[in-house]
Amino acid sequence: MSPARRRLLLAAAAALAGCAGPLPPLPAAPDDGQALRILVFRGGTAARLGHNHVLRAADLRVEWPEAGPVLRFRLDALDIDPPALRAGLGAAFASAVGDEARAGTRANLLKALDVASHPEVVVRTLQRLGEGGRQAVEAEISLHGVTRRQWFVAEVEGRRARGEVVVRQSDFGLQPFTVLGGLLAVQDALVVQFELTAP
């Protein structure tokens, strides 16, 4: 990376650190200190008939090479709409989602993501810029057989880091789920939130 580009990215990270408010709290991480959830938002002209969804990476595995953490999780192991997570996300996730609806969401999700062919997501840290409480992070995201690079901001405190990144399904060759000719749909953009604890 050229010195000019590095200075530009550091300036952007500083601006983000100054302007952005604190990230929303994640639920208590499990004993290993690793947590990742994905927020999925309803869309279409009949969006009011659907639900927003929260997915939890139940089998999240984290390695810690020198460049930074590498995250892996299986799509077929996602926990769909855990009630405790929905309860902590406020009014946008306040609607009740029963067992039958969760099973339907899982079936649609596995089909849309072509999980049989591409069961795993890998997020690999490439570089980190900045010092102190906020850092600009470049990561390589592999999903659905497509690998893309993306920048985002992470909060770092001691051995713990947390952040969120917006991922567009269409960037990975995925068609967001729709029914009834698009009257009810899933929005293209997903919000991925994470909290990690270094060993």
Side-chain angles (χ1 to χ4, degrees), residues 66-134:
E66 185 175 347
V70 177
L71 290 69
R72 302 175 188 272
F73 61 93
R74 289 185 61 90
L75 294 167
D76 56 5
L78 287 171
D79 193 2
I80 311 295
D81 287 316
L85 280 188
R86 290 187 65 83
L89 287 172
F93 293 83
S95 59
V97 179
D99 291 343
E100 185 175 345
R102 279 197 293 270
T105 298
R106 173 177 292 281
N108 294 332
L109 177 73
L110 298 184
K111 181 178 179 181
L113 294 177
D114 190 15
V115 170
S117 299
H118 307 287
E120 189 173 62
V121 177
V122 180
V123 181
R124 188 180 307 276
T125 303
L126 299 177
Q127 60 176 321
R128 295 172 291 173
L129 301 177
E131 298 178 3
R134 291 205 174 202

Side-chain angles (χ1 to χ4, degrees), residues 6-196:
R6 184 176 293 273
R7 286 195 299 273
L8 179 63
L9 288 170
L10 285 171
L16 285 168
C19 298
L23 293 172
L26 283 173
D31 292 341
D32 62 2
Q34 322 302 344
L36 182 145
R37 70 184 180 192
I38 303 165
L39 306 183
V40 183
F41 299 98
R42 59 191 176 180
T45 55
R48 67 186 184 282
L49 301 178
H51 303 278
N52 296 324
H53 298 284
V54 56
L55 318 174
R56 183 179 68 89
D59 74 329
L60 180 63
R61 289 153 283 143
V62 184
E63 301 169 5
W64 291 87
E66 185 175 347
V70 177
L71 290 69
R72 302 175 188 272
F73 61 93
R74 289 185 61 90
L75 294 167
D76 56 5
L78 287 171
D79 193 2
I80 311 295
D81 287 316
L85 280 188
R86 290 187 65 83
L89 287 172
F93 293 83
S95 59
V97 179
D99 291 343
E100 185 175 345
R102 279 197 293 270
T105 298
R106 173 177 292 281
N108 294 332
L109 177 73
L110 298 184
K111 181 178 179 181
L113 294 177
D114 190 15
V115 170
S117 299
H118 307 287
E120 189 173 62
V121 177
V122 180
V123 181
R124 188 180 307 276
T125 303
L126 299 177
Q127 60 176 321
R128 295 172 291 173
L129 301 177
E131 298 178 3
R134 291 205 174 202
Q135 296 184 6
V137 179
E138 184 184 26
E140 185 180 78
I141 303 172
S142 297
L143 166 66
H144 193 241
V146 177
T147 298
R148 293 193 175 274
R149 292 185 171 197
Q150 187 153 349
W151 284 93
F152 57 93
V153 173
E155 290 185 349
V156 180
E157 183 177 352
R159 296 169 55 247
R160 180 158 293 193
R162 66 179 188 148
E164 60 183 8
V165 58
V166 175
V167 175
R168 299 183 68 88
Q169 298 176 70
S170 56
D171 287 344
F172 295 87
L174 292 166
Q175 176 65 44
F177 179 76
T178 64
V179 294
L180 302 175
L183 288 175
L184 188 59
V186 167
Q187 292 186 27
D188 190 17
L190 310 173
V191 177
V192 180
Q193 300 177 330
F194 62 88
E195 183 168 337
L196 307 174

